[in-house]
Structures are given as structure tokens and as C-alpha cells.
């Protein structure tokens, strides 16, 4: 694949350069995985690595190459059915919970599929594909970056179900000394009429659900100056946070009882104290690192226990808009949340480390209209039963995040790198 | 019971008069029911009539009489366990799905329990109970009015499960001629910074979740000038509204398939056309009456099909705040939604007939803080996974509703009298 | 009803006398029940008392009166759908798990239905109904006796789910002193070629599945000379019988874990020791009385723990065939198993007290052929996944049982009065 | 591995020769599988191929090498937990439904584990292991042969869930011409007192549940002279066999409705007629070949529809005892049932092709006693809720079957190669 992707023709079209970079990154993420690793599905919410690799290629094949590259021949006509995710407009789909039974195509064949699509995309880019193609390619690149993050969260979930506790990358989440970040302080923000959401006039990409940019009224508010740590979470556990129903939303308390939640996902108490499963295998719990793998229900209960609350997504965005977009993302980082370090600042860890649960239900912005056609199925149809998370995580691809970026998951979700920032009123 | 409630001592205390009126109304609602009718639970979400009757009395016993009336002796010490609903602070509870197995106490004994509580409450009122008691009695009265509505929705659900289709009140939902309300028009409202929510300074009651009063920013918007009708819903059915996944939220489409939804709850297609189960038994469907017994998912899909959207709860409240608080409520009405009648007005049917689904998730208002103690469990803990409905219905007690009133149910709820008002952007 | 049933015309036809006696007994069994008591269904396996009362009447209406009494008018044409149990040949049925939602017809109306059927049956009997009618009436009487037993087991299950623990008959299961039955001995029986099963030539009734009479080969065997007691079961509990997987069938061990079985159904450990729910309400556990409300899985595990086994149904029948048909049945007895009393005998408690689980799966006898038509649906279609129980119980109607009688239930059944007799090999 | 297994030391001990042959056969069965193919679990009843390969090795490691080979070092101490199947005595087990998530160890590592065990077994055999070891090795070989068959049935189930419908062995189940076997005839057998079951005095192996040999009484009976064919099953389908509740056991009819059964498992109706998934991929249905992949419920319904019944396991065994032990087994055959061929005989296809459902529940024979220790967990604990199948199938290893052999599965099982032979009474 490399020879193709290195060709200067990608450069002829800025979207081509982006495409080549994203696709290469996906390939590198798959390198530590065997054919077997890439096959099973650890739970219905997760997908096999092979599926992520193929589905993102199918996206370009179905949305770009078939309509825009004359004479394009699909790699395998059956793949549409296998690797369509949820696009009802795009024909019959393989049932989601059975994705893990597709031992064929093999990982090797899926990589060949990727190369086939990449070659055709290079051809298209060389020709120049027009505005419509460029728009959908751009969407496809951001879509693929989302699946890059999911590939990692899903592999962690799969490996955590194996009593051998294999490591995705043995050097991930290293057991390095960290220091106590000290007490949390709350930084004040002035409210008023504030504009939020993505503005396409800025010229940078945003998913449909990030706009339209619109006005909201915010009261003055305060945000915690850092993320909640594992050590703070241990206090919550020790002070019976998981046993006091008054701390919990009613649905959350039902989950606690039904699923026996007593700590974040992947935490295990052993003879030598708490450990947690990471992309580097089992690791001693770092009390100074940000807590992760907690649900909205847990985040909300923790906030109530602490006498605080979760921020709304607009409080978060308003505060984040003025901050430098730096943090512990994938590639440069340990693929795990990291204890506070680096220069002092009024508010830290806003980007990277862990997705921050907000108290906002995922809902359409005023005047939101889905795109016509399959692209319109992107986000709008998930606007019930989900909460917004902001800021990206330690497995988010660098460059993928923005202050306006809205991630969303059901409130019982724990396998994502999701954590907590507190807020309070004046 | 009557002799007690008619005594002038109730009058000594304004809250006493309210209490007496509400309690008597509950008793009258139970009159058409046999001991058997009052016993089973048609589904986990519903409760037996007997349970509503006893639980509302338990509320006064546990929250008012035990703390505030010296020497009060509970009617039966076991009833606390049986008739506590969800107050985790108030001790062990009978499992909700087994409420329908309590053949004892009998309806007669439950009515005796009510009378026992009423006598003690009369005593307390005669003494004057102080501010704290008054506050909780007021809450108890509004709480009981909520259960009055639920008693009716739950009985309808129970009777609909009986192939004999019994009537709660044979004169309800009469088969009267109605006329076509004509095309729906959209009325414009001016947005801007708007204050919403309940203000206790107004001196009238509001549930905790209705406040604090706070500012929001609204864009200009339009609301449909009447409710969506059964006839319009038939067009949605006939034009494959229940078969087109692109109209539906993802969770909603899953419900359509899993539960086989093809029409609103209680609709049945017979040889002579559509019929629907009502509190008066099976009735021919009136195409001019407002549609009811639809879920948020159906309401949302209908709006998308119609090229419109659901209003937000604040758009609704802003529009409703200036309107007269009249409509088709219980007592005076047919216990069923009614075709448009009465004087022309820019926007009609805002109150009564059916609860109007909004597109707003049920969430805390800024600075919302639950009350300490059991009263604090009232609404806050349901603030995940639910949508707000506004305006009251044909089974809402008269006087119970307000422009700031927030009802809330999960988005798949159909057994409430829930319907649709459309909105659109400029 | 009494006036009808006392009329001498019943006497004109022996089947009429049986009918009158059985029907009157059912009516008496229902007397302690309120309309509410008779309505709910405590679990899908159980039925409401009202349903038992109506279904047994429907049997005579549909199987006898409609075909055999010219001009008979059904009491209510809807009742067929409501009260058909499982006869696929007899039209659409009300879903079994929703039987408990039928608050109408009321108990009073169901009793009127019974009277209506009784009057018509009296008329038919007065006319004399012919051989075919007599056969089906006889079946109907035995069928109704089965439902008499189920009515009691189902009421016990319902009342046990009520924290108030009401009594069906306060004088049932009295707390009388009992004495230790002493060690269990094993009585030898000689095997060989043995004939088992019901022989219609004897002139007495048998259900279809009791025949044809046929030959089996039995090895010599021994049976315990009495039933296993509560005291012996306590030893099983104390010696970790419910915690040792090696004692259990694989499906049984799954049940133990899934349902948390730690003792027989209805046992509760309180501050004053073990208690158990009975038809007389909560009672102190009598260590000398036979254990009851155990599943086949528990019976089998107990036998393995004791170094014994369960008898086969043919070992049981061969031994029972020569014994007097006496025991603790309903009517004369306490409606609860009773500690050993009465004259010494080689083997005791074979009939009455508790149904005895056998190790035999319920299967057709050689040459078994179901009757044509609806009567043929009687037993044959349950011949998978069930085990045979023998001997009748303390709630079996007197005269209902025979040595050839085969009761059958799935192996996890606990709400029947089922207990244990041990067997061993030579 | 081959060099080890070819060493003459295996020959020193007859059990060693058997061991070497069986182990080599398993290795060959795994050859067509990739690491991915060997990993997922298509349903909780099935196991991954890798699991079969490892579990059978664990059996020898835990039951033979650890106790009998001094100084043996387990390959990996974690493997016991991963690859124990159901031996409660042998420590904690990996949850059965999560077997498909074990992407590590890889297939390569599992094969290395097998080689490690084989080398140690060779060493043990060279030393000579004593009587106890020989007995358990013999059991282990037969156990491994059972897993050889399961490996094939489970792979077929996995591949059938893949829309690409891959072939395990492209030359399996070839599409060869076959001829109509003609009408089925029924062959008479004389009953009486008959001895059945395995007699260890014969010197050949039998599983515990095959004995003790004992006497039964059989009536005279007849057996169909061949297996039921696909063509006959098509008639059953076309004549509404799957739609007539009167043909079905009650549990079976529930399955038909719940799971939507309309044909045997793996049958699909396409534009060109019926096809079926095989180990060679999708194939045109051969109307002359024996039907397979039917449940006991379907077999029983078919028999009732045909006016016949299923044989009991003892009728089958009595008839089979005198027949030559030849048939369409694995290795020499097509890995699929085959239309009747070969020399005429009174009764044919008794062995091989498909397992024949009997009407007999799987139950212990008189005087059956499980072995002490883990080997005692072999079969006895499954003696509830299962039916006996006889005769072996087209994927049964040659030499594995005997007239006394009892296979058993729950009555809704369809993924085994299970078919139908009819019986009738005189």
C-alpha cells in the first residue's frame, strides 16, 4: 500500500493528502493484531477490528468510488452487505451482533480490500474528483478517525475478557511515577448570551450534529481545574458511593444493582491493591491519573457525592473555545490517561486523556437538518437516550478533536475512555 | 368518610380544604371499580388502582401524620412496605412488578385506610399543623392528583387487555359527530431571551423540577395552531410511515420492529374500519379528534414525515404562558380527546386533550437542587432517558396544570394520553 | 346452585351423581376467596382461581353441552376464547400469561356461569346423554378434580407473594405436636416381568396416558418405608447440599445458581428458626413432617447425597398396587403434609401427603395413541421435558388417585406439593 | 508432532497406538482452518475449534500427565481454567459463552500445546503407565473422538452464519446424481425379554452411561428399512407439517412459533429451489439423501404426520445388535448424508449418515453409578431434559460407534447431524 500512498498524486488534491494520512494510520493501528484478534466481537456494542478496517473502506467504496470513479469495480460485491453499519438507505445489512462470526474474509483479505480501495482512491484523486466527492471524502476521513478510536476501545474490551489479559502494545500505559495533583479548584466563567456550535464559515470540518452555530444563554458557572482522579474515585468507593441510592439517578441505581457495579470497568482488586486493564495489559492503578471507564450514571453520582454537578455541554464548549488544543491524545501518548503534568494553567486536561461526560442529552441544535441521502443518517438518528461527551481522549487521533466536537453514548456506557470534570454554580 | 371531610375544620386551614377536595375526588374515581378491577397490574409500568389509593394515603401517613401528629397510630404497620413507591430513604419496598399480586388488603380495607388517614388529617388540620406540614400536605395533594390521572391511564390499560373490553364509565368517550378542523396553520412566536420555569414568588405551587425560574435564548419559531388529528395519523399510516426507517430515531425504529408497532396503542382495525379502546369501551375512531397514545418516537417520526419538528419545552412554555388555562380536562369532559370546538383562536388545544411530546429531554434547570430528605426524591432522580410532555390531558384533574408544568416519560411510552403538536423554524 | 344439584335427576345417571359431587366441591373450595383473590396470576405457570372455576365449566360447555344438548345456549360466547386452556383444536385462546388481567367477568359472574352450565348439565342428565356424553363427562369430572388441586397450589403461591401472608383457611396446617418417625428403613420388592398401567377392563377411570397396560422388566429393588422429612432436609442444607455441584444434575445446578435456591420453596429462616408458608399462613417448620415444595432436581440431589436414588415410576406402581389406597388427602386432612402417624406398616405414606418425584421422564406407554379430537390433546403433547410424580398429595381430592395415576411436571417445578421417597438397588 | 507420534514407543502399549492415531486425526481435521476460523463461537452450545483442540489436550494433561507422569510441567498453568469444560471438581472455569473471545492463545500456540502434551504422553507410554492411566487414556481417546465430531458440527454452524458461506472442505458433500430409494418398508422384530447395554466383559470400550447391561421387555415392533429422506421432508413441509399444532409436542410447537421454524436448519429456499449449507458450502438439496439437522421435536412431528412413531432406544439397539457395523462415517465419506446405495438388506443406514432420534429420554440404566472423581462427571449429570440418539453420523469418526452407543441432546437441537428413522407397532 505504501508505494501507492506515497505517490505525489495524493498531493494534487488536499483531500487526498488527508485521506492518505488517515488510511495509513489505520493500517498501523492494526499491525499488532493477529487474524484471530481481529475477528471476534466482545459484546454487541463493540465491533471486530476487521470490521472497522473493512467498514471504513466500504464507506469510501460505496459513497465515493461507485458514484464518482467511472469504471470502478468493487472488490467483492458481498462486502456491502457485510460491512454496511447502519445505513438503512444502503441495502440489507449483516446483523450487528453477528459481526464476530465473520472469520472470512481474513485479516489479510481485508487489508487487500483496503489496498484495492486505496488504489482506486489514488486514481480518483489524480483525476481530481470535484466538490461533491471532496466533501464526502473529508467526511470519510473523519469517520475513519472515529473508527480508529473505536478499534482501540473495542480491542481493550476484547482483551479484558481474556483471562490471559494480553497486551495490545506492551509499552502502553507504562507504570511511571506520578505526583499528587493537589486539591481541585474551581475556575469561574462568565455566562450571558453565548454562541456555540460549529460554523462552516471557519473553513474547518465539523460533523452535522455540531451545527448550526447558535446562541444560548448561560448563567455564570465554575469548572473544576482538572479531571477527577482514580484516588478521588477510591474515596467515593470507600465512602459507599456505590451503595447509597440517593446519589444515583433512578436508571443508574438499577444498573448498579443489576450489573453489580462496584468500581469502574476493568478495575480489579487483588492481593496487592487495585489493578486495571489497559492497552498495555494489567497495570497497578495510578491514584493520580484521571479516572476512566465510568458511565454517565457513575459520573453523575460522583458529582452529587462531591456536592457538585456535571457541566452542560455548552458550559464546557464556552470554556474550551479559548483554550489551546493540546493534550494527551493517541500517537504521542501512552494510550492511557496520564496524571497531571506540564505547565500550570487555570484549567487543565480539557482536551485528551478522557472524554468528559456532560449533563446534556444529545439533541439537535436549532435548525438542525440532516443531509439528504445516506450521509444524512450520520448522527441525527441517535438523538434519543444518549448523553454528550466532550474533549477527546488518550486514544483519540491527534487533530480529530475540536471545541465544538460532540461525542455521544448511552448513559450506561463504560468501555469508552470516559471520565469526569466537575462543575458548580455560583 | 364524607362526614369527616365536610366538617368545617377543614376550612380552618386552606391546605385542609385542598386536601379534602382532592381526597374526595380520588374516592369518586374509584367508585366504578370492583375489588378485582382494583387489584391486577397490567404491566410493570402501571399500578393497580388499589395501589394508587393506598400509596397516596401512605404518603400523608408517612410524611405528614407520623412526624407531625403526636400520638398518631398507623393503620397497619405493614402498609409502609407495601405502598411505598420509590422512596429509597423510606425503607424496604414491595417489588414493583409484584404490586398486582396483593389481593389483600381488599379494596374495602384500602378505603378504610384512606378514611383512617383522613380522620387523622382532619384532626391535624383542626389543630393547625405549622408551615412544614402545610408544605408537605400541599405536595401530597398535587402528588395525589398525579396518581388520579395514572389511575385512569392504568385502568384503561388493564381493561384493554381484557378481550371483553369493559368500560370504566360507559358514558365516556361518546360517539358524537364532529367536524373537520381544516388545515393546520403555523403561528409565529418571537424568540430572544426569555424567562421560563416556576417562580415560587407567584405564590402558587410548582413541583421541584419546574424551577428555578431561569433565562433561555429562543430563536423565533412557529407552532401548529392545533393538535395533530387521528385523520392525519391515518395518512401517516397509509403512506408507510411505520415502514420507512429514515423517518425514525434509531431507538424508535428498533421499537417499531421489536414490538410490531403499526398504529397508536389501542387502535384496532376491524371489518368496519378503525376502532380504539377508550374509558367508555371500544369506539369508532373519530378522524377529527386529536391522536393519542403515541410514543415520543412516533410523534417524532410523524413530525419528520410532515416536514416539521416537535417543539422544545421552552418554545411550548413561552407560547403557553400568555394563553388562557382552559381545555378538555377530566370531570367536565368526556375522558377522551375531543375534536376541535369552541371559539376561534390563533393557537388552540394547548391545555387538555393530550399531553404534547416535546423534543426536550427531561433535565434539571440551572441551579436545580433536590429538597433534602424523602421529598427530594420526587423528580430529580428521573432525569435520564425521559422526554418532557406539556399541557395536560383529558384525564388530568382540573386545576392541576400550569404553563410551567413538566410531565416526563420514557420515549417509548404509549399508555398515557400523549399526542402531538408540530413546530417549525423560520 | 344447590337446588339444582340436589335434584334427584342427577341420580338417574351415575355420571350425573359424580358430576354433581365434583362441581359442588369446587364451589366450596372457592368460598374463602374474594373477587380480588380469584383474579391475579402469581406466575405464568399458575392460573387465577376464577380461571380454574370458569375453565372447568367451559370444558363441559364446549365438550358436552354444545355437541350433546340440543338448543343449549352458551352463557357468553366470548368465554370460549377466555377460558380455553390449551386445546389448539378449539380456536383462538387468550394468552396464558395474561389470565391474571381478567378482572371481568367477576367471581360472582363466573359462579353464575357455573350455575348456568350446571342447570344445563342437569337437564342433559335428566334426558340421559348417551355413551359418548358419559365418557366425556367422566373425563370432565376428573379434569375438574385436577383443577381443584391446582386451585389450591396456585392460591398458596399467590398468597406467599403477599408480604401480609394471608391464610386461605386459618385452620389449615395446624401447629400440632408431632413425634420423630425414627430412621428410614428400606423394604425389598421382587422384580421380574410385571404388568403396569391402567386397564380399562377394570371398569374404573384412567387418563389416556395411564395406559395401555403393558409389561416391563424390573430388577429387584427397595423403597424407603416413609417419605423424607423436613428434618432430614435440614441436614442436607446444613451439610452444604445446595452448594456441592457434584450432587446435582447439570440443569439442576444451573437452577440453584440462577435462582439462588437454598431451601425448599416457601421456607424462610427467621429469628426463631425456619418457617414455611402454608394454606393456613406462616407456620413453624415441623421437622417430622414430609418435606414438600421441592423440585425434581432437589429430590434427585438429596437422593444422591443420601447415597440412594429416586424410584422409577414402575417400581413405585408395582409396590403401590398392593397397598391400601389411604392417606392424607384433601377434605379430611390439614391441607399440609403430616408427620407419620397411624398404624405401623412395611411401607407408609405411599398415597397422599406429597406427590413423589420419580426418576422417570413422562413418556408414552407402548401402543399409546391419543384420542382423536380435542380430548386427544389431553396429555400426550406434554411428553417431553417432564418427570412423573406418583401418589397424590394433601391437596388431592379424595378418590382422585390410583396406583396407575401419572402426574407430571417439569423438573424445576416447586409450587406443587411435591416430595421425596428414596429407593435403592440390591 | 509427527516425528514424536511415529516413534515406535507408542506401539509398546496398545493404548498408546490408539492415542497416537486419534491425536493425529484431530490435527488433520484442523488443517483447513485459519487462526480466525478456529476462534469464534457461533452460539453458546457450540465451541471454537481452538477450544476443542485445547480442551482435549487439557483432558490428558489434567487427568493423565499431572497424576501419572512424575515431573510433568504443564504447558501453561492458565490453560486449566481456559480449557476445562464442565468438570466442577477440576476448579474454576472460563464462562462457556465467552469461549469465542479467546483470540489468544493462537491456533499455532494451541497446536504447540498439543505437541507438548503428545511428547509427554509418548514419554509416559514409553515407560508404561499402569492400569489406571490406561483406563483414563482410553476414555480420553474416545472423548477426543467425540470432540472431533463436534469440531465439524460447530464449524458448519459458524460458516453457515457467514453470508459468504465458506466451505470447510470444498470437495465435501459433492453434488452427485442419486436415485430414488423407493417406498419405505417396515421390517418386523420380535420382542420379549432382551438384554441391552454395554458389557465390559466383551473387552471393548463403552462410556459409563452405556451400562450396566440389563434386561428390558420389548413388545414386537417394526422399523423403517431406511432413513427418512429430504424428499419426504419436503412433502411434510408442503402439507403444512410446520403449521399444524396437533402434530407437535407442546414444547415443540412453542419452538416452531418462537423461532419461526419452517424447514430443517440450514435449508434455504432460493430462486432455483431448496439449497442447504454443508461442509462443502451451499449445495442443491438432494431429495434422495437422508434428511438431517432436524430436532427431536421435528422428528416426532414428522413421525406423527406419517402415522408412525420414533423407535425407543432399546428397539433400535436390539435391531442394530445383529447388523454389520458399516455405514457412511467420516474420513471415507462425503461428510454429508448420502442417498441409499450399496447392496440390498432388510434394514439399511442404521449406522452412519445421521444420528437417529429415539423417543427415549436420556436416563440412567438400572444400577448405574457414576465413577468417583472427575471421570464421574462424564455423562450422568446430563440425565434430564435430553433425548437419546443412536447410530452415528457422516461426521462420526470411523470405529467410534457401537450398537450400545448413546448420544444425547436436548430435543430442540438442530446443529448436529440428526435425522429420522420411523417405527411402528404391530
Amino acid at each position: 500500500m505504501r508505494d501507492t500512498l506515497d505517490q505525489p498524486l495524493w498531493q494534487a488534491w488536499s483531500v487526498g493528502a488527508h485521506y492518505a494520512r488517515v488510511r495509513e494510520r489505520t493500517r498501523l493501528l492494526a499491525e499488532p493484531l493477529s487474524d484471530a484478534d481481529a475477528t471476534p466481537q466482545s459484546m454487541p456494542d463493540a465491533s471486530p477490528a476487521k470490521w472497522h478496517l473493512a467498514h471504513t473502506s466500504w464507506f469510501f467504496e460505496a459513497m465515493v468510488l461507485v458514484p464518482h470513479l467511472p469504471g470502478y469495480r468493487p472488490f467483492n460485491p458481498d462486502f456491502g452487505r457485510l460491512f454496511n453499519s447502519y445505513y438503512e438507505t444502503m441495502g440489507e445489512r449483516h446483523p450487528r451482533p453477528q459481526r464476530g462470526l465473520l472469520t472470512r474474509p481474513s485479516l489479510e483479505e481485508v487489508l487487500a480490500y483496503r489496498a484495492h480501495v486505496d488504489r482506486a482512491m489514488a486514481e480518483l484523486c489524480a483525476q481530481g474528483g470535484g466538490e461533491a466527492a471532496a466533501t464526502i471524502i473529508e467526511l470519510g476521513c473523519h469517520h475513519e478517525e472515529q473508527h480508529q478510536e473505536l478499534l482501540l476501545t473495542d480491542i481493550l474490551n476484547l482483551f479484558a475478557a481474556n483471562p490471559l489479559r494480553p497486551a495490545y502494545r506492551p509499552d502502553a500505559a507504562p507504570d511511571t511515577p506520578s505526583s499528587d495533583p493537589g486539591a481541585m479548584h474551581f475556575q469561574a466563567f462568565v455566562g450571558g448570551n453565548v454562541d456555540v456550535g460549529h460554523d462552516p464559515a471557519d473553513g474547518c470540518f465539523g460533523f452535522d450534529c455540531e451545527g448550526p452555530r447558535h446562541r444560548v444563554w448561560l448563567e455564570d458557572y465554575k469548572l473544576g481545574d482538572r479531571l477527577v482522579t482514580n484516588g478521588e474515585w477510591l474515596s467515593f468507593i470507600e465512602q459507599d458511593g456505590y451503595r447509597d441510592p440517593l446519589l444515583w439517578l433512578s436508571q443508574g441505581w438499577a444498573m448498579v444493582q443489576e450489573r453489580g457495579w462496584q468500581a469502574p470497568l476493568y478495575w480489579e482488586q487483588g492481593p496487592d491493591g487495585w489493578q486495571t486493564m489497559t492497552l498495555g495489559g494489567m497495570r497497578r492503578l495510578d491514584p493520580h491519573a484521571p479516572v476512566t471507564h465510568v458511565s454517565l450514571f457513575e459520573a453523575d453520582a460522583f458529582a452529587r457525592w462531591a456536592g457538585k454537578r456535571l457541566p452542560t455541554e455548552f458550559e464546557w464548549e464556552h470554556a474550551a473555545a479559548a483554550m489551546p488544543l493540546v493534550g494527551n491524545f493517541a500517537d504521542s501518548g501512552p494510550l492511557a490517561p496520564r496524571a497531571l503534568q506540564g505547565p500550570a494553567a487555570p484549567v487543565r486536561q480539557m482536551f485528551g486523556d478522557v472524554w468528559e461526560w456532560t449533563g446534556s442529552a444529545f439533541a439537535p441544535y436549532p435548525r438542525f437538518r440532516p443531509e439528504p441521502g445516506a450521509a444524512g443518517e450520520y448522527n441525527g438518528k441517535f438523538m434519543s437516550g444518549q448523553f454528550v461527551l466532550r474533549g477527546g481522549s488518550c486514544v483519540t487521533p491527534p487533530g480529530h478533536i475540536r471545541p465544538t466536537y460532540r461525542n455521544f453514548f448511552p448513559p450506561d456506557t463504560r468501555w469508552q475512555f470516559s471520565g469526569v470534570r466537575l462543575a458548580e454554580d455560583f
Side-chain angles (χ1 to χ4, degrees), chain A:
Chain A
M1 188 164 81
R2 182 168 313 257
D3 55 338
T4 307
L5 295 183
D6 285 349
Q7 283 169 18
L9 50 86
W10 292 110
Q11 314 310 330
W13 205 23
S14 71
V15 78
H18 189 194
Y19 176 89
R21 205 167 53 243
V22 168
R23 298 285 288 176
E24 172 68 1
R25 188 174 183 274
T26 305
R27 195 186 62 77
L28 291 170
L29 284 175
E31 276 196 341
L33 303 177
S34 71
D35 190 8
D37 291 337
T39 297
Q41 186 176 20
S42 57
M43 57 172 178
D45 285 340
S47 292
K50 222 156 63 177
W51 193 90
H52 289 300
L53 297 170
H55 164 70
T56 47
S57 302
W58 167 84
F59 185 99
F60 289 109
E61 183 171 79
M63 307 272 192
V64 179
L65 294 171
V66 169
H68 296 288
L69 182 65
Y72 174 74
R73 289 190 47 201
F75 182 75
N76 182 329
D78 288 326
F79 280 15
R81 180 173 173 196
L82 294 182
F83 300 121
N84 177 359
S85 55
Y86 58 82
Y87 299 89
E88 303 275 358
T89 36
M90 304 293 289
E92 200 184 352
R93 290 170 297 152
H94 187 63
R96 176 163 189 149
Q98 290 188 18
R99 286 182 186 166
L101 305 185
L102 302 177
T103 64
R104 320 279 179 95
S106 68
L107 177 55
E108 196 181 349
E109 197 177 352
V110 166
L111 294 174
Y113 176 37
R114 291 184 64 85
H116 174 90
V117 166
D118 287 343
R119 273 188 300 272
M121 286 292 292
E123 200 180 323
L124 180 70
C125 289
Q127 301 173 4
E131 188 61 29
T135 299
I136 194 84
I137 293 171
E138 193 64 26
L139 176 61
C141 289
H142 289 272
H143 168 256
E144 181 144 347
E145 286 178 333
Q146 293 182 309
H147 280 278
Q148 288 173 350
E149 175 153 359
L150 291 172
L151 186 150
L152 292 175
T153 58
D154 293 357
I155 278 292
L156 176 57
N157 195 254
L158 175 67
F159 283 4
N162 188 332
L164 304 179
R165 299 288 147 76
Y168 164 74
R169 228 182 61 194
D171 63 335
D175 217 340
T176 44
S178 64
S179 53
D180 190 327
M184 188 184 298
H185 296 103
F186 284 79
Q187 176 72 24
F189 293 87
V190 178
N193 277 328
V194 162
D195 285 342
V196 293
H198 178 256
D199 184 355
D202 292 352
C204 46
F205 176 84
F207 284 111
D208 56 355
C209 65
E210 291 176 55
R213 189 158 176 86
H214 65 289
R215 182 160 298 177
V216 295
W217 173 267
L218 293 184
E219 303 293 324
D220 297 343
Y221 64 102
K222 298 184 206 167
L223 289 186
D225 66 344
R226 60 165 173 78
L227 294 167
V228 168
T229 64
N230 288 324
E232 287 161 340
W233 203 272
L234 282 166
S235 301
F236 174 69
I237 294 175
E238 285 154 11
Q239 291 175 36
D240 285 340
Y242 282 96
R243 291 196 208 105
D244 179 358
L246 294 186
L247 297 174
W248 294 78
L249 288 166
S250 184
Q251 289 186 322
W253 184 242
M255 289 291 123
V256 168
Q257 295 179 292
E258 196 179 307
R259 305 191 187 166
W261 289 352
Q262 303 186 32
L265 183 65
Y266 304 141
W267 285 32
E268 280 178 47
Q269 204 166 16
D272 303 326
W274 286 96
Q275 291 194 299
T276 185
M277 180 65 178
T278 73
L279 287 166
M282 286 304 284
R283 293 284 189 255
R284 199 171 49 78
L285 191 75
D286 178 354
H288 306 135
V291 70
T292 188
H293 301 305
V294 295
S295 61
L296 175 279
F297 292 131
E298 288 162 290
D300 175 81
F302 180 92
R304 195 165 292 115
W305 171 79
K308 311 295 178 188
R309 61 174 175 82
L310 299 179
T312 67
E313 64 167 324
F314 300 131
E315 289 170 339
W316 190 97
E317 182 174 332
H318 178 53
M323 295 186 190
L325 217 165
V326 294
N328 171 21
F329 299 115
D331 293 7
S332 58
L335 299 184
R338 193 165 51 186
L340 203 56
Q341 52 188 49
V347 175
R348 299 196 288 176
Q349 298 174 316
M350 286 288 278
F351 297 103
D353 283 312
V354 295
W355 288 100
E356 305 179 18
W357 282 111
T358 73
S360 302
F362 183 52
Y365 287 171
R367 293 193 173 80
F368 171 73
R369 285 269 162 153
E371 305 284 317
E377 292 190 54
Y378 208 79
N379 285 312
K381 70 182 179 182
F382 299 111
M383 287 173 171
S384 73
Q386 317 233 14
F387 280 78
V388 174
L389 302 101
R390 295 289 196 128
S393 83
C394 56
V395 291
T396 301
H400 182 66
I401 207 72
R402 297 167 290 281
T404 61
Y405 196 104
R406 305 171 85 195
N407 199 354
F408 52 90
F409 278 98
D412 61 343
T413 303
R414 314 211 308 165
W415 98 109
Q416 294 298 303
F417 283 86
S418 48
V420 189
R421 180 178 305 275
L422 298 176
E424 67 175 356
D425 298 315
F426 268 88

